Amino acid sequence: QVQVVESGGGLVQSGGSLRLSCAASGRTTSSLRMGWFRQAPGKERDFVGSISWPGGSTYYSNSVKGRFTISRDNAKNTAYLQMNSLLPEDTAVYYCAATPQGLGNWLYWGQGTQVTVSS
């Protein structure tokens, strides 16, 4: 079993930046693909981006491309979501997910961290 814990959410003004962290722990943390999702009030959970193991490839949704960057520190079993030029529509609960590289679905999910962007 793998545990995933997000941190770093908070309140920021439009145009500001935040960095979220996602720490993975448990039996097997190597070879994990890491992803970020978000869910705004009254909306479905949407894909934000992901990073492969060990980190050669990243993917982003069109809505965040060019503003958000995903990275990882494999020695710390931690992935990061650097969010720049934040907009009020980025307000959501952000979830980290992890899954073995090569698996299509996401097996492990964090509890989420709130990001609020004020206008």
Side-chain angles (χ1 to χ4, degrees):
Q1 188 70 10
V2 174
Q3 292 78 44
V4 177
V5 179
E6 308 95 337
S7 61
L11 174 64
V12 64
Q13 289 188 333
S14 182
S17 298
L18 274 178
R19 188 178 80 156
L20 305 184
S21 299
C22 173
S25 63
R27 289 184 57 188
T28 303
T29 55
S30 62
S31 303
L32 289 177
R33 180 163 60 104
M34 307 292 287
W36 289 95
F37 295 75
R38 67 185 182 185
Q39 187 168 20
K43 296 188 177 181
E44 294 185 350
R45 188 175 299 186
D46 290 330
F47 173 78
V48 174
S50 65
I51 186 167
S52 64
W53 169 267
S57 299
T58 53
Y59 305 91
Y60 300 95
S61 68
N62 288 335
S63 61
V64 307
K65 198 174 296 182
R67 299 188 298 123
F68 291 10
T69 302
I70 297 175
S71 61
R72 65 189 300 161
D73 183 337
N74 295 329
K76 296 181 179 180
N77 296 320
T78 300
Y80 304 95
L81 178 64
Q82 177 66 45
M83 304 184 292
N84 299 328
S85 303
L86 283 161
L87 303 169
E89 48 263 46
D90 293 318
T91 295
V93 177
Y94 282 72
Y95 297 90
C96 180
T99 199
Q101 182 69 35
L103 193 65
N105 55 317
W106 296 92
L107 290 184
Y108 311 110
W109 290 85
Q111 293 299 308
T113 184
Q114 176 70 47
V115 171
T116 303
V117 184
S118 64
S119 58

